[in-house]
Amino acid sequence: MSDNLHGSLFMVLAMLGFAVEDAFFKAATGTGDVSPGVGTMLFGIFGTTFFVLYALWAKEPLFSRAYLQGPLLIRSAFEILGRLFFALSLAFVPLATTSAILQAAPLVVTLGAALVLKEQVGLRRWVAMSIGFAGVLLILRPTPSGFDTTAIFAVLGMIGFAGRDLMTRASPPEVSATQLGILGFLMVFIAGVVISIFESAPFAAPSLPALAMLLGTGFAGLIGYSALTKAMRTGEVSVVAPFRYSRLLIALIFAFLIFGERPDAFTLIGSTLIVGSGVYTLVRSGRKDRAGSVQRSGV
């Protein structure tokens, strides 16, 4: 099996894990047995505990002074923003809509890299990003008759995740992936606390079925995270990364089979535009990176 095929299969496994995570969380919070705030807090506790135990096993330091430096402080703020609104979106917005809008995050990362990190972005990628953002507008349908205000949760969650990914690229190299995992899940817990403060329902422990689904959320998320790390370290990024959009296809299947959702034509067309432009942007970026590496090596 080639490295590219190996990496692509791990990427699909990662997206399956994340899609299952989303479905479990939506099922747990959608029944009313657990609030989005409590569910998010428990998810944060589960993830933090896992990474702390892994760090202790690997004899890695649990914390880093870099947590208090600018890039990671900004990353933490974006993590809270993303997790807070993504949790609300999973609870109150159709899964198909939430997953489709989330796919625009790589486009926002590319936009941020151009505007904030001053990376060079060619005309073709600017056009691709514009098409992708047009797909988001098709899904949102910002007209008085078609606009669903709760869909703003998905947009804000997507912006939060894009900002987190952008600041991850700017984070100090001495901070390990495990330390980033600890920091990230601590922010998930804080996001859950913030949601709980503004929830009208009284604070209550989840029922056993809801707790089981939240445990499933945690395990699926950890599988997705581990597979994603393996995928991005195997094969060429321009080949492996576009398979992240398999998450949308899996989410659409779950939305149909589990939650009885029927995405309309605007949502499907918008999703196609987002995925198409995102794949093009990722492939184009990978080609540019390879060309730059060849040029630097003098070949």
Side-chain angles (χ1 to χ4, degrees):
M1 185 182 295
S2 68
D3 285 345
N4 284 339
L5 179 57
H6 199 195
S8 299
L9 290 175
F10 269 109
M11 180 61 79
V12 173
L13 175 61
M15 296 304 107
L16 174 61
F18 290 139
V20 171
E21 171 195 329
D22 295 344
F24 268 130
F25 189 89
K26 183 173 182 63
T29 57
T31 59
D33 292 335
V34 62
S35 69
V38 173
T40 303
M41 282 194 291
L42 290 175
F43 182 48
I45 291 172
F46 183 91
T48 302
T49 301
F50 172 83
F51 278 105
V52 166
L53 292 176
Y54 180 82
L56 293 174
W57 175 79
K59 297 183 171 139
E60 293 185 23
L62 297 180
F63 300 99
S64 170
R65 292 181 180 179
Y67 286 174
L68 301 179
Q69 294 177 5
L72 287 185
L73 285 175
I74 298 173
R75 181 187 187 274
S76 296
F78 274 120
E79 181 80 69
I80 293 173
L81 175 71
R83 287 293 177 177
L84 191 157
F85 286 106
F86 187 61
L88 292 175
S89 183
L90 285 174
F92 299 115
V93 181
L95 179 61
T97 300
T98 299
S99 299
I101 293 175
L102 181 65
Q103 304 313 306
L107 299 175
V108 178
V109 170
T110 302
L111 177 63
L115 298 179
V116 179
L117 302 182
K118 306 302 179 184
E119 292 185 7
Q120 294 296 318
V121 176
L123 177 61
R124 294 179 182 178
R125 283 198 286 167
W126 281 112
V127 172
M129 283 190 288
S130 300
I131 293 173
F133 293 140
V136 174
L137 289 177
L138 268 180
I139 296 172
L140 293 177
R141 292 188 291 283
T143 62
S145 59
F147 183 61
D148 180 3
T149 54
T150 59
I152 292 296
F153 293 153
V155 175
L156 292 175
M158 179 268 293
I159 292 173
F161 287 147
R164 176 202 62 189
D165 293 346
L166 188 64
M167 287 299 101
T168 299
R169 296 171 66 171
S171 63
E174 65 269 18
V175 180
S176 69
T178 303
Q179 290 173 328
L180 285 177
I182 293 173
L183 178 63
F185 275 102
L186 282 174
M187 296 307 107
V188 173
F189 174 76
I190 292 174
V193 172
V194 173
I195 297 173
S196 297
I197 291 174
F198 292 97
E199 285 176 334
S200 57
F203 187 87
S207 64
L208 285 178
L211 183 59
M213 285 186 281
L214 289 174
L215 287 174
T217 299
F219 279 116
L222 291 175
I223 291 172
Y225 182 89
S226 302
L228 178 63
T229 302
K230 181 68 173 178
M232 295 307 293
R233 291 176 176 174
T234 308
E236 300 173 71
V237 173
S238 61
V239 175
V240 173
F243 282 90
R244 70 170 55 246
Y245 289 101
S246 60
R247 179 175 182 172
L248 177 57
L249 176 60
I250 299 169
L252 289 174
I253 294 173
F254 285 170
F256 179 81
L257 295 178
I258 301 174
F259 302 104
E261 298 178 10
R262 303 292 187 272
D264 59 20
F266 285 105
T267 300
L268 295 176
I269 294 172
S271 300
T272 302
L273 291 177
I274 294 170
V275 170
S277 59
V279 169
Y280 177 84
T281 300
L282 289 171
V283 172
R284 188 76 182 173
S285 298
R287 289 176 179 173
K288 183 178 178 181
D289 291 341
R290 287 201 304 272
S293 299
V294 170
Q295 188 175 29
R296 286 191 298 272
S297 65
V299 177

